[in-house]
Amino acid sequence: MAETRDEPVTTDEAAAGRPWVELRIHGVSGTPPESMLESAHVRQVAGDAWGRFFRPVNGVGEELQGVPGRTLEGYHWGKYTSGSAVKGLWLILIPFGMVNAAAFMLPDPGTGRRNRSLHTAALALIRGLAIGLTCTFALTAGLILVDLVGFSWASGVAWLSALGLRWTVSLGLLASGGVLLLLFAMGNQNRAADFDPPPAGAIADVPDPSGMSRPEFFTETQAAPILGRLHLAMGWSVLALLGTMVWKSIADQVPGTPHEDLRLVLQVASIGLVLLIAGIVVALGDPEQAINATSDHFYFPALPMVSRILMVVSGALLVACFVLLTTTRPRHDIVLLNPNDVDRYTKLLPTACTVVMFLLLVACALLGRGTRPSLAGTPASFRRYASGLAAWATASAGLFVGVGFCAAFDLGVGKLVGRGAQTDLIYRIAYVWGITAVILVVVALVAGAVLFRHRRRYEPQVEVEYARLTSPGLWHEPPPGYLTSISLSRLLAKLKWYVASVVIFFAVTGTVMTVVTCLEMFHVSLPGVVAWISQGRDVQRVSGPDVIVAAQSRWFGVLYNIGTFSLIGAAGYMFVLGRRALRTESARRGLNVVWDVISFWPHSVHPFVPPSYAQFAVRDLRRRIRHHLLLPPVVPAPGAEESVADTAPRVVLSAHSQGSLIAFATLLWLSETERSRVALVTYGSQLQVAFPRAFPAYVDFRLLGLVRARLKDRWINLYRETDPIAGPVLSWDRSPVPPAPGSPTSRRMGADDAQPDLIEGSTGRRESGPDWRVLDPPPVDPTLQTTSVTHLSKHSGYPASADYQAAVDDLLSRL
């Protein structure tokens, strides 16, 4: 017989006798406190301008706590990733963030020497891709501001032309350095956190901590600017090299241009500095210690001074090139940058990145294979993406997107000033992105056709689930038209399990096209089918280095134009989004959703990303829990005894989406005494769907089970089948709900075999132990006169449901 429960415990019964606190943590997009607390008015009661705690109030500021004994409070951490106008510019930092997050996607190497060596090598290679991305942005900034703006555009503006082309070109070079300085400043916002040490009995209090059990993960050390200064120095060195190429191009066309000796010295110095900085960045390890403790290397004490010296030297080179360019006499009728000179250097950049990507693929594959035994006993739904290749795929995709951004800016500005690209590399990138755009359109059309064909796939299951309702007065089948909408939404929600396949496909195609592009730039003869992947201008040398014939295939023009307009359209769309973000906070919240996910992870391989908020959010939340438990704000020394007074309230952490990761990390740092008065309810959580699969060294099946066990089963997770980005956390292998009176089954944490699930008759939710699937839309009366159905809630609106209240009541009864 099916297990059915019709009479849940009420809030008044669960709360009788003792006060309690419901502390909500919002998810992505910086949900406003009013929405989080379901109140038209709120008041900040604790925290600062970044991490803020609110309570609901009425129009005159009086607290509104509708449930007896409850204190409803919300922790708002969204200001760390959205809010100010400057944060609206973070959109251009997405490629940097992807490469930085890739470092945290590597599997835990364990204690084996071979795996640890592979892990170290993979991190070094990801840092190599990161420095290549910085070089690409620096080169693009120089090409745009020096040639397209400082030369082509300025020559058509009367007052700039009167200033003199030598000054507009020189100032364009300095402005390029300013762009990199702005990127450095946007990432160098480290606010040192006085993160508390782990107390006795904390899950993080282990002899050999790793992942989020390491205090260094949550502290931006004073060495944090090291990586930023090195990347800034690399960018300035690339611009100095570009400046010497501009001088040489002018000298070749304008006889008598002075200071050839100085130009040669600056060129050799900039090339040497590029190689030196690249070597240091790849080999230096992790200066912030976020991934592994490497501060005991003999050279670490010297890194702060070395990074400052390199930054000063590179800045001096850039200024020297600026002065050198002011001595030239460029004319309107010359070509400011010789494509041959530019291509001679630019083809080395994609070649180096391609080699690094290939080596990273090998390292990740070997590391994934070597750490496979550690997955024993881990259910398939918790296993890492692509057998450990997620780090390679994300880093490669980030580089590919970053290169596309650069080409979009270059081609877009070129169209505005009526100039083509200055290097063959830009043409090839546009061609490759033309192929990519065609592939994406084809994939989207095929996926759309498949989804449309199977849109009714889940209708029979939906009918069964609503038919299991036992409450009188509620409809047992959705309103007309909703059945197909629910089925289609569930089908779309299933796509989240295929994210890895899409990223891997994107990374593989990008890598293949990059390899072919590099070979063609070195004039390697390729078979026709392979060469078609990246034909660029098909440059062929005829009778010497100065005689060139550009031969184009019949497909080149079509794909090149598709790529060009796709990239220009993307650049224009980014500009529109950026303007909108500068004007309205709601637009900034929407744009910075990506940073709500990526900025949880500290700087490790790329510094031009927003600072991590994990150190502050976890600290703030833990200290607030101690405040509610009537404990002193300062944590005693490890091993010190402390107790919670009987009069202290119970605390129910209520965490949505990304907030569930913050709550989960906080629980690692609570003592046994603190945890004994805390329960957790999560909803719309990715703690199974994404985090263990993308970041297996920081959130894995064993750690999830350990946290649940230490909470003594005071953890309930709510999810919907229609949620496109979240899902179950504590159960797996769920069988379909059968018609009454049968009972579905599932496997769950704490049980070896499949267990029967419970169908709650009043709301239709399915309880797979601590994992509760709630219906979307919720049951309503058949006439829709006392309730309403306007849309599917999917990822939002959990606290307003009856099932959420039942979960809180259940947890309170166990505290």
Side-chain angles (χ1 to χ4, degrees):
M1 297 290 291
E3 296 184 61
T4 303
R5 185 171 69 200
D6 295 326
E7 299 295 335
V9 179
T10 65
T11 302
D12 290 343
E13 293 172 350
R18 289 195 298 169
W20 57 287
V21 176
E22 182 180 343
L23 182 51
R24 297 181 182 177
I25 307 106
H26 68 80
V28 296
S29 79
T31 305
E34 293 83 358
S35 299
M36 180 170 49
L37 298 177
E38 305 170 277
S39 174
H41 305 281
V42 296
R43 175 168 58 89
Q44 184 172 350
V45 295
D48 53 23
W50 301 92
R52 308 179 296 169
F53 292 88
F54 292 90
R55 291 181 184 174
V57 297
N58 60 18
V60 294
E62 298 172 336
E63 282 194 21
L64 296 174
Q65 300 291 349
V67 178
R70 180 189 71 169
T71 298
L72 177 61
E73 197 169 272
Y75 174 53
H76 190 270
W77 52 270
K79 288 292 184 181
Y80 287 116
T81 57
S82 62
S84 69
V86 174
K87 292 183 175 67
L89 300 175
W90 285 1
L91 186 66
I92 63 174
L93 305 180
I94 289 175
F96 302 135
M98 293 176 67
V99 175
N100 186 71
F104 296 90
M105 295 182 174
L106 292 170
D108 188 346
T111 58
R113 183 175 180 180
R114 173 182 177 275
N115 289 340
R116 293 184 71 86
S117 297
L118 287 170
H119 189 269
T120 300
L123 284 175
L125 292 168
I126 295 175
R127 287 195 296 272
L129 285 182
I131 203 71
L133 191 57
T134 297
C135 292
T136 303
F137 267 72
L139 179 63
T140 303
L143 293 176
I144 292 174
L145 293 176
V146 174
D147 190 4
L148 297 180
V149 175
F151 182 73
S152 298
W153 179 73
S155 63
V157 179
W159 65 275
L160 287 176
S161 182
L163 183 63
L165 287 180
R166 59 173 178 159
W167 285 105
T168 58
V169 169
S170 304
L171 292 173
L173 187 66
L174 279 188
S176 304
V179 170
L180 291 177
L181 186 61
L182 176 62
L183 294 177
F184 170 79
M186 292 173 69
N188 189 33
Q189 301 176 36
N190 299 315
R191 301 169 290 270
D194 50 340
F195 196 77
D196 304 322
I203 299 174
D205 184 26
V206 293
D208 188 20
S210 62
M212 287 190 292
S213 297
R214 298 182 62 253
E216 292 84 359
F217 180 87
F218 296 99
T219 55
E220 294 283 1
T221 66
Q222 295 304 312
I226 290 176
L227 202 59
R229 288 194 288 261
L230 290 174
H231 276 254
L232 180 60
M234 174 61 90
W236 282 351
S237 301
V238 170
L239 289 175
L241 178 59
L242 182 67
T244 62
M245 286 190 286
V246 172
W247 183 97
K248 186 177 184 302
S249 181
I250 295 173
D252 289 342
Q253 301 170 79
V254 182
T257 302
H259 306 306
E260 162 65 17
D261 293 342
L262 177 59
R263 192 275 308 174
L264 184 60
V265 170
L266 293 177
Q267 186 172 34
V268 172
S270 59
I271 293 174
L273 206 57
V274 165
L275 296 176
L276 175 62
I277 296 172
I280 292 176
V281 169
V282 171
L284 63 79
D286 180 13
E288 294 192 22
Q289 309 174 54
I291 294 181
N292 46 30
T294 55
S295 60
D296 55 348
H297 290 326
F298 71 92
Y299 54 81
F300 257 69
L303 282 178
M305 181 59 68
V306 169
S307 64
R308 290 189 182 94
I309 292 174
L310 291 174
M311 186 175 67
V312 171
V313 172
S314 63
L317 280 178
L318 184 61
V319 173
C321 287
F322 164 78
V323 174
L324 180 65
L325 288 178
T326 61
T327 65
T328 62
R329 295 292 186 272
R331 301 191 307 263
H332 297 288
D333 59 340
I334 69 171
V335 177
L336 187 65
L337 280 170
N338 188 325
N340 287 337
D341 290 337
V342 177
D343 288 340
R344 186 178 300 117
Y345 292 98
T346 56
K347 67 183 179 183
L348 298 176
L349 182 58
T351 301
C353 290
T354 301
V355 172
V356 171
M357 280 193 293
F358 177 76
L359 294 176
L360 179 60
L361 173 61
V362 174
C364 289
L366 293 176
L367 181 60
R369 184 178 181 84
T371 56
R372 191 178 301 169
S374 64
L375 296 176
T378 300
S381 56
F382 291 86
R383 295 197 174 188
R384 57 205 181 198
Y385 285 131
S387 300
L389 295 181
W392 164 78
T394 303
S396 300
L399 181 65
F400 197 45
V401 171
V403 170
F405 275 17
C406 293
F409 297 142
D410 192 287
L411 292 169
V413 176
K415 289 289 185 183
L416 290 176
V417 301
R419 279 284 306 278
Q422 310 93 318
T423 169
D424 188 45
L425 179 62
I426 299 296
Y427 287 98
R428 295 182 183 276
I429 292 172
Y431 180 82
V432 166
W433 272 90
I435 298 176
T436 304
V438 171
I439 292 175
L440 292 176
V441 170
V442 171
V443 170
L445 291 175
V446 172
V450 172
L451 290 173
F452 180 79
R453 180 180 179 183
H454 295 280
R455 66 190 184 280
R456 301 181 183 274
R457 176 178 178 179
Y458 292 104
E459 286 188 7
Q461 180 63 31
V462 172
E463 290 180 312
V464 169
E465 291 170 357
Y466 281 95
R468 299 295 294 267
L469 292 169
T470 60
S471 297
L474 296 180
W475 49 278
H476 288 212
E477 62 181 37
Y482 258 76
L483 205 60
T484 302
S485 297
I486 298 171
S487 175
L488 181 58
S489 294
R490 291 193 178 189
L491 187 62
L492 291 171
K494 295 291 183 182
L495 295 180
K496 58 178 171 276
W497 297 102
Y498 300 97
V499 169
S501 301
V502 175
V503 176
I504 289 290
F505 175 78
F506 191 64
V508 168
T509 55
T511 301
V512 170
M513 289 186 283
T514 302
V515 169
V516 175
T517 297
C518 292
L519 292 175
E520 289 187 343
M521 291 191 72
F522 281 94
H523 308 290
V524 176
S525 179
L526 297 172
V529 176
V530 178
W532 180 83
I533 295 176
S534 175
Q535 298 184 44
R537 289 183 294 177
D538 280 344
V539 175
Q540 300 175 351
R541 299 190 180 277
V542 178
S543 60
D546 299 324
V547 182
I548 297 176
V549 174
Q552 298 179 357
S553 72
R554 60 178 181 176
W555 288 106
F556 168 76
V558 175
L559 292 173
Y560 169 74
N561 286 323
I562 290 176
T564 299
F565 289 109
S566 297
L567 291 172
I568 292 175
Y573 184 62
M574 288 177 58
F575 177 76
V576 172
L577 289 179
R579 286 192 62 187
R580 189 182 303 166
L582 290 173
R583 294 178 178 178
T584 63
E585 183 174 353
S586 60
R588 288 194 290 273
R589 290 201 313 267
L591 287 177
N592 288 321
V593 166
V594 64
W595 295 118
D596 291 343
V597 178
I598 294 179
S599 288
F600 182 86
W601 310 101
H603 295 171
S604 181
V605 297
H606 210 299
F608 295 172
V609 293
S612 170
Y613 62 83
Q615 55 179 332
F616 304 101
V618 173
R619 180 201 63 182
D620 293 347
L621 193 56
R622 188 195 169 200
R623 291 184 177 181
R624 193 60 179 172
I625 291 172
R626 290 181 62 82
H627 167 78
H628 286 303
L629 295 179
L630 307 181
L631 293 171
V634 179
V635 181
E641 294 288 337
E642 66 179 6
S643 59
V644 178
D646 292 338
T647 56
R650 298 159 291 172
V651 178
V652 176
L653 291 179
S654 170
H656 177 229
S657 190
Q658 182 74 8
S660 66
L661 179 60
I662 297 174
F664 178 80
T666 302
L667 289 169
L668 300 178
W669 295 82
L670 295 183
S671 69
E672 177 62 33
T673 301
E674 294 163 347
R675 285 197 308 272
S676 66
R677 304 294 288 271
V678 174
L680 174 65
V681 56
T682 55
Y683 40 97
S685 173
Q686 300 91 1
L687 284 172
Q688 178 187 140
V689 171
F691 296 129
R693 310 182 75 202
F695 307 100
Y698 297 87
V699 183
D700 62 5
F701 177 71
R702 293 183 181 87
L703 189 59
L704 287 167
L706 178 60
V707 170
R708 180 176 176 272
R710 294 289 184 91
L711 281 173
K712 303 186 186 305
D713 296 339
R714 296 189 302 273
W715 180 1
I716 293 177
N717 177 69
L718 278 64
Y719 69 96
R720 298 188 181 105
E721 298 282 4
T722 57
D723 195 325
I725 62 175
V729 172
L730 305 170
S731 65
W732 60 96
D733 292 345
R734 290 166 300 280
S735 66
V737 175
S743 190
T745 61
S746 66
R747 297 186 62 192
R748 60 195 73 156
M749 290 184 180
D752 296 330
D753 302 320
Q755 303 291 318
D757 292 345
L758 184 147
I759 302 297
E760 207 286 319
S762 62
T763 63
R765 72 172 176 268
R766 172 181 178 173
E767 298 183 11
S768 302
D771 239 359
W772 293 9
R773 189 270 296 135
V774 300
L775 291 177
D776 185 25
V780 294
D781 74 279
T783 63
L784 301 179
Q785 300 307 308
T786 61
T787 50
S788 62
V789 178
T790 59
H791 63 282
L792 299 179
S793 297
K794 298 180 181 179
H795 188 61
S796 60
Y798 282 91
S801 67
D803 294 308
Y804 173 85
Q805 297 301 324
V808 172
D809 297 341
D810 192 311
L811 292 173
L812 282 174
S813 67
R814 305 180 194 182
L815 279 172

